[in-house]
Structure formats: structure tokens, C-alpha cells
């Protein structure tokens, strides 16, 4: 099984709504892999309030518009990692909307959820007779990450990186 890990992607910003955003050679290269996995480093939505905690702290808000889900589809992403510090930038409703868009496009996702159990759930794929689980965690207690909601048993957020839990 060949897997391409693309790292962080953000399909909005200056490329929002543009059809030409990636070189055809890259698309051809990615098509040779069985699975393509990327961290979706933003929320997706057109009409949502910005996260109030981030606004109070004057932190960066990063999001893409609904139309930009097409870029993730064009890259043929199979799994979107949501364990990052921007997936809740459009609040809980924006997070849920992002998940709904990914689900509609049949793009698996993991690393964040409406509670810790959901956030810790892996994305599971069956390919070439093998079943593979992908877990996603976010390191949250460092200054360069900034504010990110941590999932608990009864509150939404990202799956926090805990090395003992990973092991």
C-alpha cells in the first residue's frame, strides 16, 4: 500500500474559488498513491462566527469557503486530519459544517470531535486486503500552537497529544 502524506493544506485564502490552484504534474504524481492523507489546517464555511476565544486573544483565524472543498476533492484526499489549531476557528457550528462537507465528499477524517471519544476515533480504511487505522493528535501546550480547544468527555475539541495514550 502506497501512502502520500501531504502535510498541512488550506484550500482558501488567495486561491479561494480559483480553478487552477495546483500543477497538473503534482496531481499526476498524487494519483499514483493508494491513499492521500493531509492535515486540513482550517475550518470550512461561508457564514459562521469566528471563534470567540481566538478573537479575544487577537489570534489568527484561518478558514476556507464552502466552494473550496472542491480543491480537496481535486487532490483526491482520502483522509483529512483535523487535529490542529484552526479546525475550530469558525466555532463549533463551523467545525460540524466542515465535517458534513467532508462526509458528503466521502473524505474520512479524524483527530477532532464533539467529545474526547469522538476526537480519538481513528479513520479506518480497507485497501488491498488490509485494514489500516490512522490516529491523529495535536500537540496543544506549546506557545507556537496558540489557542485550541481540547476535547473532553463532554466538550468538543481536538484529540490532545498524550504520548502514553499514543503508546
Amino acid at each position: 500500500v502506497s501512502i502520500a502524506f501531504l502535510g498541512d493544506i488550506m484550500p482558501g485564502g488567495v486561491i479561494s474559488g480559483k480553478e487552477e490552484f495546483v500543477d497538473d504534474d503534482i496531481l499526476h504524481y498524487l494519483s499514483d498513491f493508494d491513499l492521500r492523507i493531509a492535515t486540513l489546517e482550517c475550518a470550512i464555511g461561508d457564514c459562521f462566527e469566528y471563534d470567540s476565544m481566538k478573537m479575544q486573544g487577537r489570534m489568527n483565524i484561518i478558514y476556507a469557503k464552502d466552494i473550496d472543498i472542491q480543491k480537496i476533492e481535486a487532490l483526491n484526499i482520502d483522509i483529512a486530519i483535523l487535529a490542529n489549531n484552526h479546525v475550530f476557528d469558525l466555532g463549533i457550528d463551523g467545525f460540524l459544517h466542515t465535517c458534513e462537507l467532508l462526509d458528503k465528499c466521502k473524505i474520512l477524517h479524524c483527530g477532532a470531535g464533539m467529545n474526547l471519544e469522538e476526537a480519538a476515533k481513528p479513520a479506518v480504511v480497507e485497501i488491498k486486503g488490509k485494514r489500516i487505522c490512522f490516529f491523529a493528535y495535536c500537540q496543544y501546550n506549546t506557545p507556537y500552537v496558540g489557542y485550541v480547544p481540547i476535547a473532553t468527555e463532554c466538550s468538543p475539541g481536538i484529540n490532545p497529544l498524550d504520548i502514553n495514550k499514543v503508546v
Side-chain angles (χ1 to χ4, degrees):
V1 176
S2 61
I3 304 172
F5 291 95
L6 279 68
D8 292 354
I9 60 171
M10 203 293 275
V14 297
I15 61 169
S16 184
K18 294 184 179 176
E19 288 184 30
E20 293 183 27
F21 70 98
V22 65
D23 187 273
D24 286 340
D25 290 340
I26 292 172
L27 292 177
H28 178 73
Y29 175 75
L30 291 174
S31 70
D32 288 338
F33 290 90
D34 298 316
L35 292 172
R36 285 144 300 276
I37 301 169
T39 297
L40 180 58
E41 190 69 23
C42 66
I44 300 175
D46 290 339
C47 303
F48 295 95
E49 298 281 327
Y50 298 147
D51 178 88
S52 59
M53 290 294 292
K54 280 199 161 184
M55 292 303 291
Q56 288 174 12
R58 296 180 180 230
M59 295 177 216
N60 293 333
I61 301 286
I62 297 177
Y63 69 97
K65 296 180 180 179
D66 283 354
I67 194 167
D68 296 320
I69 191 74
Q70 296 171 349
K71 290 176 180 60
I72 299 169
E73 288 181 294
L75 291 168
N76 204 16
I77 301 298
D78 298 290
I79 299 174
I81 302 300
L82 303 180
N84 66 74
N85 61 326
H86 291 292
V87 73
F88 282 93
D89 281 7
L90 297 178
I92 294 169
D93 291 338
F95 167 74
L96 290 171
H97 181 72
T98 300
C99 293
E100 288 171 10
L101 289 173
L102 293 169
D103 291 342
K104 279 183 187 175
C105 296
K106 295 183 175 32
I107 299 170
L108 299 174
H109 48 89
C110 60
M114 292 306 292
N115 55 48
L116 185 56
E117 181 179 350
E118 188 177 300
K121 207 180 233 185
V124 181
V125 295
E126 290 193 36
I127 192 159
K128 295 185 176 181
K130 297 177 194 263
R131 189 171 177 168
I132 306 170
C133 296
F134 293 89
F135 294 89
Y137 303 89
C138 181
Q139 185 172 2
Y140 60 93
N141 55 357
T142 59
Y144 61 87
V145 171
Y147 169 75
V148 59
I150 308 301
T152 67
E153 289 183 19
C154 56
S155 66
I158 54 93
N159 189 23
L161 177 63
D162 174 342
I163 195 65
N164 295 319
K165 187 176 167 185
V166 173
V167 171

